[in-house]
Amino acid sequence: EKGGYDHFMMKEMMEQPKAMRDAITGRCAEAGAFFSGLHLDEEMMKHINRIQIVACGTAFHAGMVGKYYFEKFARISVEMEPASEYRYKNPIVDKNTLLIVISQSGETADTLAAIRLAKDKGAWVLAITNVVGSSIARESHDVIYTNAGPEIAVASTKAYVTQVGCMLLLASYLGQLNEKLGKKDAVRVCNGLAKTPELIEMVLDTQEKIRKFADANHEIHDLFYMGRGLDYYTCLEGSLKLKEISYIHSEAFAAGELKHGPIALIEDGTIVVAVCTQEHVFEKMLSNIKEVKARGAYVLAIVQESHEEIGSEVDEVWVIPKMDDDITPIPTVVYLQLMAYYLAVARECDVDKPKNLAKSVTVE
Ligand code: M6R
């Protein structure tokens, strides 16, 4: 049932190229992204003046990436809140609100409560979920399925990459409805997404190096992740994955926040994962790296191939091929998933069923 792997989590990470393919298939036409069967169309979009994204945990991180894409491609401002916050704060919602919820299981109690609340106030609810016929799918007006296939491990992996892929497709679709995104750019998004299965494969092929890193470092007590823009969200997801399955304390912060607090925690030998895949802030990341290096940090940088020269500034470099900056969250997170996995294995943790956690949080 684990397909010959030791854990469901490994099986599911290995399934990510296929999951991405299934998430994209049938959703990229000659003129860019489209979703057959979606009620949300040009006419409806004319009335939407507020978009809110609500989710929990990993799905929330996919939502953050989505917010970035919606604002970039559709030029719509988006409000985001964890479902557990949204449901208890009388959010401003009316019939011109589009609520986008993201949930792998489609059964998360807080997310479901947020849907009910927004529907009562007249919002249009669009769900992005992995489970056909789930409560969230049934109670939403529109559904986009991630098509990742069943996810058994508590730590979400293949669901996350497909959620990010669907957010990018949706942002591109809304951008076209809004006439903010031209055909050329819409096609560029689809072409970029079409390459992700192969890009994920490349990262999956580097596992030996990641296992070695984990074997050498599994006794650490803390791990820090920093990045800017899309990389910041990837860091948040990597940090969540690590704490869930390895029980190592970790924090992810926006690299520009370094001087506003986190730098106080950097000491000799502290490992800092610096995710630097975004070209427009690459130089800024370099400065942040120098700041933590000056305090003795061991820096592991993740960069696009075109910036391999960063090796002279850091202790270790993991590379993704050169690609469009908007696509990098998908292959990059796979490095962080594998890192969390191998650290958990080296610490002899129960990877698939971490203590205190359930796959689906159906009670508050
Ligand atoms: O099924 P959902 O996507 O609604 O679940 C949300 C979170 O409970 C979930 O993502 C959780 O954070 C995972 N264990 C992350 O790996």
Side-chain angles (χ1 to χ4, degrees):
E1 44 169 12
K2 291 177 192 153
Y5 297 104
D6 290 344
H7 302 98
F8 280 110
M9 184 180 172
M10 179 51 80
K11 172 173 179 270
E12 289 160 8
M13 287 190 292
M14 297 300 285
E15 285 169 349
Q16 290 182 113
K18 177 180 184 313
M20 272 315 297
R21 229 169 272 127
D22 293 344
I24 305 162
T25 301
R27 291 171 174 168
C28 273
E30 225 175 277
F34 79 101
F35 293 92
S36 54
L38 210 63
H39 299 94
L40 185 73
D41 59 11
E42 213 169 332
E43 208 33 52
M44 277 179 77
M45 271 310 282
K46 283 192 185 130
H47 304 285
I48 300 294
N49 59 19
R50 189 185 296 280
I51 297 188
Q52 298 173 332
I53 303 180
V54 161
C56 302
T58 283
F60 184 75
H61 297 150
M64 293 175 97
V65 178
K67 173 176 156 69
Y68 182 101
Y69 291 150
F70 290 142
E71 293 183 348
K72 176 165 180 178
F73 295 124
R75 301 305 294 154
I76 312 173
S77 71
V78 177
E79 298 161 10
M80 260 217 87
E81 206 111 51
S84 55
E85 289 295 316
Y86 183 89
R87 64 178 292 196
Y88 290 119
K89 58 186 300 191
N90 192 13
I92 299 173
V93 181
D94 61 21
K95 59 180 185 2
N96 300 317
T97 304
L98 169 63
L99 175 73
I100 300 174
V101 297
I102 310 168
S103 173
Q104 188 286 129
S105 64
E107 301 298 342
T108 299
D110 282 328
T111 311
L112 199 52
I115 293 176
R116 291 176 181 157
L117 175 74
K119 266 172 75 181
D120 275 352
K121 291 173 180 258
W124 185 263
V125 180
L126 164 62
I128 297 182
T129 182
N130 197 34
V131 180
V132 177
S134 56
S135 306
I136 286 175
R138 280 185 280 114
E139 296 204 22
S140 301
H141 299 107
D142 264 325
V143 185
I144 294 175
Y145 287 109
T146 41
N147 298 337
E151 195 181 63
I152 311 292
V154 165
S156 184
T157 55
K158 61 178 180 169
Y160 179 76
V161 291
T162 56
Q163 285 163 354
V164 170
C166 287
M167 294 312 264
L168 185 50
L169 286 172
L170 184 60
S172 163
Y173 174 71
L174 295 184
Q176 285 172 281
L177 292 187
N178 259 357
E179 296 179 355
K180 299 284 184 207
L181 189 74
K183 184 178 162 188
K184 206 169 129 236
D185 288 325
V187 169
R188 190 174 56 86
V189 165
C190 278
N191 290 343
L193 273 171
K195 289 188 200 125
T196 53
E198 205 184 305
L199 296 167
I200 294 174
E201 286 301 351
M202 288 180 194
V203 175
L204 289 170
D205 284 346
T206 67
Q207 280 182 55
E208 200 37 40
K209 151 183 97 187
I210 304 171
R211 198 180 55 75
K212 278 191 188 133
F213 170 88
D215 286 347
N217 294 298
H218 70 278
E219 280 169 356
I220 52 173
H221 296 290
D222 310 279
L223 188 58
F224 294 90
Y225 299 82
M226 65 175 180
R228 288 173 181 253
L230 287 171
D231 289 335
Y232 170 44
Y233 315 131
T234 306
C235 287
L236 287 169
E237 175 54 10
S239 171
L240 175 66
K241 216 92 296 174
L242 183 79
K243 57 177 82 96
E244 275 191 293
I245 60 170
S246 77
Y247 317 133
I248 297 171
H249 163 256
S250 76
E251 275 188 44
F253 53 88
E257 284 290 294
L258 188 60
K259 284 188 183 141
H260 301 284
I263 201 161
L265 295 171
I266 309 297
E267 318 175 329
D268 219 17
T270 307
I271 302 182
V272 177
V273 179
V275 183
C276 320
T277 74
Q278 300 294 295
E279 189 60 46
H280 69 292
V281 285
F282 183 79
E283 293 300 321
K284 300 279 165 205
M285 284 303 299
L286 263 187
S287 315
N288 296 132
I289 287 173
K290 285 181 182 145
E291 283 155 5
V292 294
K293 284 285 322 156
R295 278 146 191 97
Y298 178 97
V299 176
L300 162 60
I302 302 180
V303 296
Q304 294 197 37
E305 220 162 35
S306 46
H307 280 302
E308 244 174 319
E309 84 281 355
I310 202 172
S312 58
E313 305 282 345
V314 301
D315 301 279
E316 193 164 339
V317 188
W318 294 355
V319 169
I320 55 169
K322 175 79 189 128
M323 70 192 76
D324 193 319
D325 284 9
D326 295 320
I327 302 293
T328 65
I330 294 172
T332 306
V333 79
V334 178
Y335 268 131
L336 303 188
Q337 295 166 349
L338 289 165
M339 182 196 280
Y341 175 84
Y342 281 112
L343 281 166
V345 168
R347 290 160 72 90
E348 297 178 2
C349 298
D350 188 348
V351 171
D352 284 338
K353 285 197 189 331
K355 64 178 185 208
N356 305 339
L357 295 175
K359 179 64 183 161
S360 171
V361 184
T362 54
V363 288
E364 271 187 79

